[in-house]
Amino acid sequence: MSTDETKVRPLHPEGAPRNPGFAGITGEFDLTEAQIRGTEYVGRRPVDGGHASVAGTLPYQIADRNPDAPLFEGPYAERLEKILTRYPDRQAALLPALHMAQEIRGYLSPQSMDEVAARLELPPAYVRGVATFYTMYNLQPLGKYLIQVCTNISCNLCGADAVLDAFLEHTGNDMGEVSSDGRFTVIEAECLGACGFPTVVQINERFFENVGTQDVPSILEMLK
Ligand code: FES
């Protein structure tokens, strides 16, 4: 067998658009780190949720929020209808409905929770019980960028405490507070589920892996 025949070839047909994120494609590629990490694929999900099958998921890297924006109006009403088609009853759609309210307003105020309850025809106390159970729901206003530094065991062993301190120092923040320019809130998180790449930092919906203290200034600069 010749050298050419033994060489592993990409599975995609010649000339077809490449998707380097598809694990089934093997072979020799000329990829940049940004392509491998997917940072070139960051985009916004349409506010109406796009196709009903993905309407319950979050858009990537949410940064613009308005705590006074109406909930469930216009394209967001359309998205809620799509979300409801995916569940047996309105109660079952509570988590994505809360996520959508958080996406629009940035956090879940008592008023927002009550509006979700009314829209889904649920008792307000039930909705508050659910919203306060999950740490993914923010119950107070945040900076434009929520920086969550994983300090669980794998990340901790690789310097997560120092990374957390660096974020606090460079943003001039105390933990959980909104920075004076309104841009940043820094908190601890456990565990972000990417333990093979410590220290892991989640900023809004995006993961940053293998973060060291030396990376903190450039990450913050990029967000500015
Ligand atoms: S310990 Fe940090 S991602 Fe799991």
Side-chain angles (χ1 to χ4, degrees):
M1 198 178 279
S2 75
T3 315
D4 270 0
E5 285 171 312
T6 54
K7 195 171 161 188
V8 179
R9 291 192 183 144
L11 296 178
H12 60 80
E14 200 60 43
R18 291 183 171 191
N19 178 2
F22 174 48
I25 297 177
T26 60
E28 294 174 8
F29 294 96
D30 187 18
L31 298 176
T32 64
E33 181 175 345
Q35 286 172 320
I36 291 167
R37 291 190 178 279
T39 45
E40 292 191 353
Y41 295 88
V42 173
R44 276 185 171 278
R45 191 170 299 287
V47 288
D48 68 3
H51 191 274
S53 63
V54 293
T57 61
L58 284 169
Y60 220 76
Q61 195 72 5
I62 302 165
D64 300 317
R65 311 178 182 96
N66 177 2
D68 302 317
L71 295 182
F72 311 129
E73 285 188 12
Y76 289 110
E78 200 179 322
R79 193 194 310 185
L80 182 64
E81 288 310 310
K82 290 176 186 172
I83 289 171
L84 290 171
T85 64
R86 309 220 6 110
Y87 294 94
D89 55 39
R90 300 177 85 79
Q91 179 177 0
L94 177 54
L95 296 185
L98 286 170
H99 270 303
M100 196 165 76
Q102 178 165 279
E103 175 188 326
I104 297 167
R105 292 184 174 169
Y107 74 107
L108 295 176
S109 65
Q111 185 197 346
S112 298
M113 289 185 250
D114 290 350
E115 286 180 52
V116 171
R119 191 69 180 216
L120 296 184
E121 298 164 11
L122 295 170
Y126 177 82
V127 173
R128 290 195 192 197
V130 171
T132 54
F133 178 79
Y134 294 102
T135 57
M136 290 84 90
Y137 296 121
N138 310 311
L139 304 178
Q140 47 195 334
L142 302 171
K144 184 172 178 178
Y145 295 106
L146 175 62
I147 300 171
Q148 302 183 74
V149 181
C150 177
T151 53
N152 211 336
I153 186 68
S154 297
C155 292
N156 202 286
L157 289 171
C158 295
D161 284 344
V163 172
L164 176 63
D165 287 345
F167 272 111
L168 291 171
E169 184 187 328
H170 281 86
T171 57
N173 260 18
D174 283 333
M175 189 109 71
E177 288 191 344
V178 181
S179 59
S180 54
D181 59 5
R183 285 183 179 275
F184 304 112
T185 298
V186 183
I187 62 171
E188 272 183 286
E190 297 185 0
C191 141
L192 290 176
C195 315
F197 308 96
T199 292
V200 180
V201 178
Q202 183 179 350
I203 303 182
N204 291 0
E205 283 66 50
R206 182 171 158 193
F207 268 27
F208 294 77
E209 296 164 343
N210 304 119
V211 176
T213 51
Q214 72 283 356
D215 302 314
V216 171
S218 58
I219 290 174
L220 293 176
E221 188 57 37
M222 185 192 74
L223 296 176
K224 284 177 181 168

